[in-house]
Amino acid sequence: AELLLEFGPGVAMETLRQFLSGNVAANWMRPMVEIMGHFRVTEARPALEAVVRGEDEALSHAAIKALGRIGSPSSDWVLRGCLTSTLPLIRQAAADALGTCMATKAEQDLIDLLSDPDVAVRQAAGSALLAFGEKGETRLWEVSRRPGKTNVARDTAAWVLQRASWTRVIRAA
């Protein structure tokens, strides 16, 4: 492990080179994607975006997480496309990645996701909005004040804001 950390960036670039060659065994694809994300290989972004759009769901999930770690808002277009996936795990990972990337162009998409059928997806969307700072928090407050007896988006926004206030109190202590 220490050797990988010491030579990590070089290993990551070699991993990208091998990945781009297309001469990679299927069982090595996911670890390679994870390595490129872990070491935030920005040069891997186009290749990872292509993987996200591929058919392998587990590999797409790993690539979404890697793009989130790389943190480039310019990947928002591919991540936003994942918010409509039929798989909750993909939608959740995309929302997390958009928050990490500070992809503020995805704000309305994330607000829409606050009413997703899956609770983990809703929570990830709310956390992503919160990661946008004051602007995202303001939008969560707006959603939390929506009228009506049952409103999943409103309840999710209120939950995210409440959790954020608890976190602030704990950090201040």
Side-chain angles (χ1 to χ4, degrees):
E2 288 180 28
L3 186 63
L4 183 60
L5 289 175
E6 184 176 339
F7 296 106
V11 168
M13 290 305 292
E14 178 61 21
T15 299
L16 174 60
R17 192 183 69 70
Q18 285 293 322
F19 189 82
L20 293 175
S21 76
N23 190 20
V24 178
N27 62 327
W28 277 98
M29 294 292 281
R30 185 173 177 156
M32 291 178 98
V33 166
E34 291 170 349
I35 287 169
M36 289 183 285
H38 179 77
F39 289 104
R40 295 177 174 89
V41 181
T42 57
E43 297 87 349
R45 194 177 52 78
L48 292 170
E49 290 170 352
V51 170
V52 167
R53 296 187 310 271
E55 298 295 318
D56 185 327
E57 295 163 356
L59 197 54
S60 290
H61 181 258
I64 290 166
K65 291 177 75 169
L67 286 170
R69 285 192 55 86
I70 290 171
S72 174
S74 55
S75 292
D76 77 328
W77 66 275
V78 73
L79 296 171
R80 287 170 70 185
C82 296
L83 297 177
T84 60
S85 171
T86 58
L87 300 171
L89 191 62
I90 296 293
R91 294 192 308 274
Q92 179 185 359
D96 285 335
L98 286 164
T100 304
C101 291
M102 299 295 291
T104 56
K105 286 190 240 173
E107 181 181 287
Q108 187 57 51
D109 298 314
L110 293 166
I111 289 170
D112 295 343
L113 218 56
L114 292 173
S115 58
D116 191 88
D118 188 273
V119 68
V121 173
R122 293 192 304 263
Q123 292 171 349
S127 294
L129 285 164
L130 203 56
F132 294 166
E134 190 176 317
K135 184 179 179 187
E137 188 172 345
T138 299
R139 292 302 305 267
L140 283 167
W141 278 109
E142 291 169 3
V143 174
S144 74
R145 293 183 181 114
R146 288 182 180 167
K149 218 172 193 182
T150 57
N151 187 317
V152 174
R154 179 197 61 215
D155 296 344
T156 302
W159 180 85
V160 168
L161 290 165
Q162 185 176 38
R163 191 184 79 199
S165 70
W166 293 338
T167 303
R168 287 184 191 123
V169 168
I170 291 170
R171 286 184 184 153

